[in-house]
Amino acid sequence: MKTVIQTAGLGKIYANGRGCRDITLTVGQGEAFGFLGPNGAGKSTFVKMLVGLTAPTEGSGEVMGHPLGSVESRRQIGYLPELYRYQEWLSGEEVLRLHAGLLGMSRSEASSRINMLLDEVGIGKRGRDRVKHYSKGMQQRLGLACALLGDPQILFLDEPSSAMDPVGRSEVRELLHKLKQQGKTIFLNSHLLEDVESVCDRLALMMNGSMLYQGPLTDILQRTIRWRFRVGGFSPVLLDWLRERSGLNIYLAPAGAGSSGSGPDTEGMEDTVWLEAELDSEHEAGWLNALMVGQGMTLYEVNRLSDKLEDWFMEAVSGRNHRGER
């Protein structure tokens, strides 16, 4: 796989000591690369160096074989910043025409490309409306269209769907999958872990300006996750039988775990307990359900505690002080 983004010891240290330092990574052509970290980790600073908006204070890097910030490297990229602002007195179509002029596109080429992108990002005929009438999600769609306007080889997306509703986020994920199929390289900086899990091939995790992890997403998704089962008719003997029969790690949840309270939905369930199990798939959860019911237990509730990527992220940053919002 051809390398299209490469850095060696890259860093930017500001006067207040913040920024990022000693970042070395590579991204291959056609790859979707997820970039994670808590607020204040230095992610946006790193992305700004890659797209040429700020100069590094240490190290070096290349985009498509050209030095960071060079005209040659910037011709290859599209960029959607986290803090996007567009002229509110223009229509969405006029914003795109302005950007097309900056790219040196001919009028006919721009018209064809703009009409296609307005439909592709979900703006459609509302491209004729003034930006001041757009919601934050619509403005984010417009920003995505601006990033795609020049048909770039590499897309740098900083929180591309953070302002969108669930339908909008799903549409953006579909668009990113389509771009991957076209061979585009996607560098995705996002707090929305479900987007990263759905789209990305590899990822990196930053914290306090330093890199904590780089690797394939599959290595993380192969991890087990915890499920919780609320059951009645439980006894310690049945727990031993479940462990022996299934070969799974099953245990009593800590006191107070799970939902609690009283009312119509909990009446008559005072003798229930919560069991937890570390499972690899939903199939194992279904099998465990059947084993419990087959042994006379009553199954009241089943919860998948969190996504695998979310579990991994929380474990990675747990117990570490970070310079974000707190």
Side-chain angles (χ1 to χ4, degrees):
M1 182 186 298
K2 179 182 176 182
T3 297
V4 295
I5 302 172
Q6 183 172 352
T7 69
L10 192 68
K12 172 74 171 183
I13 307 300
Y14 294 103
N16 61 6
R18 295 198 174 195
C20 59
R21 57 179 57 83
D22 194 27
I23 308 299
T24 298
L25 62 75
T26 59
V27 178
Q29 186 172 19
E31 186 175 20
F33 190 87
F35 203 45
L36 307 181
N39 290 335
K43 305 186 303 298
S44 292
T45 296
F46 183 70
V47 172
K48 286 177 181 177
M49 286 190 288
L50 294 182
V51 301
L53 289 179
T54 189
T57 54
E58 62 183 30
S60 61
E62 293 183 347
V63 171
M64 297 295 290
H66 303 289
L68 300 182
S70 65
V71 173
E72 292 82 2
S73 69
R74 284 186 283 182
R75 282 178 176 152
Q76 310 290 332
I77 68 175
Y79 176 44
L80 172 60
E82 181 180 13
L83 300 176
Y84 48 89
R85 293 290 185 274
Y86 302 106
Q87 297 87 344
E88 63 176 17
W89 59 89
L90 296 179
S91 68
E93 184 176 325
E94 288 169 340
V95 169
L96 286 169
R97 288 197 178 278
L98 173 62
H99 282 250
L102 295 172
L103 288 168
M105 298 174 68
S106 67
R107 178 174 289 272
S108 60
E109 181 186 9
S111 295
S112 173
R113 185 89 180 138
I114 288 169
N115 290 334
M116 181 193 71
L117 286 173
L118 287 172
D119 288 336
E120 201 162 50
V121 301
I123 294 179
K125 293 183 179 179
R126 288 210 59 196
R128 300 168 187 168
D129 295 350
R130 303 297 174 193
V131 172
K132 66 181 178 181
H133 299 307
Y134 284 6
S135 66
K136 289 183 179 179
M138 284 288 287
Q139 290 188 44
Q140 206 159 33
R141 291 174 187 267
L142 178 60
L144 191 54
C146 288
L148 291 167
L149 188 57
D151 195 21
Q153 293 301 306
I154 306 175
L155 271 174
F156 290 95
L157 304 177
D158 200 343
E159 302 291 353
S161 59
S162 58
M164 296 183 189
D165 60 23
V167 173
R169 290 200 296 271
S170 177
E171 291 173 351
V172 169
R173 286 196 295 270
E174 290 180 11
L175 176 57
L176 295 182
H177 281 296
K178 179 180 176 181
L179 293 169
K180 276 183 64 178
Q181 293 171 358
Q182 295 172 3
K184 306 293 186 185
T185 302
I186 300 169
F187 194 98
L188 178 61
N189 179 9
S190 179
H191 285 124
L192 298 174
L193 300 185
E194 61 181 315
D195 292 352
V196 175
E197 186 169 337
S198 170
V199 174
C200 294
D201 308 299
R202 289 194 305 129
L203 60 80
L205 173 64
M206 278 189 69
M207 188 166 181
N208 294 338
S210 299
M211 194 71 75
L212 290 185
Y213 172 85
Q214 289 185 60
L217 185 61
T218 52
D219 288 355
I220 297 170
L221 298 184
Q222 287 171 356
R223 294 155 49 95
T224 59
I225 59 172
R226 289 182 300 131
W227 291 68
R228 187 172 287 162
F229 306 82
R230 187 179 188 185
V231 298
F234 169 81
S235 73
V237 173
L238 288 175
L239 179 58
D240 291 338
W241 182 88
L242 282 173
R243 287 169 174 164
E244 182 177 350
R245 177 69 177 84
S246 67
L248 298 171
N249 187 12
I250 308 169
Y251 45 89
L252 273 171
S259 58
S260 60
S262 60
D265 57 336
T266 58
E267 188 174 353
M269 299 186 192
E270 294 82 0
D271 296 329
T272 63
V273 298
W274 286 93
L275 299 179
E276 289 188 5
E278 296 177 358
L279 308 177
D280 289 326
S281 67
E282 292 182 354
H283 297 293
E284 285 190 347
W287 180 46
L288 193 54
N289 289 348
L291 291 177
M292 292 176 181
V293 173
Q295 290 301 305
M297 285 185 273
T298 303
L299 187 64
Y300 292 108
E301 192 173 343
V302 180
N303 294 321
R304 175 175 167 164
L305 296 187
S306 64
D307 292 329
K308 294 184 179 183
L309 186 55
E310 180 181 347
D311 266 352
W312 171 84
F313 181 92
M314 295 304 296
E315 288 176 14
V317 303
S318 178
R320 298 173 182 265
N321 293 323
H322 68 87
R323 61 192 189 191
E325 293 178 336
R326 286 188 285 174

